[in-house]
Amino acid sequence: MLVRMIAVDRIRSPHVAALCADLRERLAPYHSYAELEVRSGDGNDPRAAMRDEAARVLRHVRGDDRVWLLERTGTQLSSEVLASRLARVAHDGAQRLTLIVAGTYGADATLKVRAEFLWSLSELTFLHEWSRAIVLEQLYRAAKIVRNEPYHH
């Protein structure tokens, strides 16, 4: 199964970019992984920005994609439960699991409707690029848990 992340905007911090690169490298032996960045919307009109960003994201989502949206109001998971859910998606025969990280103003309703799961990392609000790093680390941690390899304690 290919796990991919579609994120609105790019990572601007060189430190976060380096962390994400390290985590992608660690994840490589466990998952096929791909990332795609789409342009953020015009900040003068937040609703229009969210709508435009959603349209850009959805252009890259196939009908058979399993889609999880990162959403602060979604369901929080422990690392063990995340590992189990990811394993179940793969076991169910999914070709692609697409994780969506929306932009500054959040996710348009069209993304929420398309997603089969709304995943909350926390009730806290994180910077967009930090969310991406946290997701990568949790994907790596989940892979280690599934294989019963040391990393997670």
Side-chain angles (χ1 to χ4, degrees):
M1 173 178 75
L2 172 64
V3 177
R4 40 183 228 143
M5 183 187 307
I6 302 176
V8 173
D9 211 0
R10 62 184 173 84
I11 295 175
R12 298 176 193 288
S13 164
H15 301 293
V16 176
L19 173 60
C20 288
D22 176 61
L23 290 165
R24 281 189 295 273
E25 190 174 309
R26 290 180 189 210
L27 185 61
Y30 300 95
H31 284 293
S32 295
Y33 178 78
E35 280 184 18
L36 178 70
E37 296 173 339
V38 299
R39 188 171 49 84
S40 60
D42 179 4
N44 292 326
D45 183 349
R47 286 188 209 273
M50 291 182 348
R51 205 170 38 249
D52 293 346
E53 292 164 358
R56 286 186 198 99
V57 166
L58 290 172
R59 272 186 277 231
H60 301 283
V61 176
R62 296 188 319 216
D64 65 338
D65 280 1
R66 304 284 298 269
V67 177
W68 293 7
L69 175 65
L70 276 287
E71 169 61 40
R72 189 170 37 111
T73 63
T75 302
Q76 293 182 35
L77 304 174
S78 68
S79 296
E80 295 85 359
V81 171
L82 173 63
S84 175
R85 277 188 180 236
L86 289 168
R88 192 172 337 122
V89 170
H91 183 265
D92 289 347
Q95 295 296 312
R96 293 196 322 188
L97 172 62
T98 297
L99 308 172
I100 299 172
V101 180
T104 301
Y105 300 107
D108 185 68
T110 56
L111 292 177
K112 293 177 184 178
V113 168
R114 177 59 180 88
E116 70 179 58
F117 181 60
L118 302 181
W119 178 20
S120 172
L121 299 177
S122 170
E123 289 184 20
L124 300 170
T125 302
F126 295 120
L127 292 174
H128 169 270
E129 51 193 34
W130 291 7
S131 295
R132 291 173 65 176
I134 293 167
V135 167
L136 280 166
E137 193 280 333
Q138 285 300 303
L139 290 173
Y140 175 65
R141 182 179 297 273
K144 297 292 267 184
I145 290 169
V146 166
R147 291 194 183 180
N148 200 28
E149 294 179 2
Y151 177 74
H152 177 74
H153 302 286

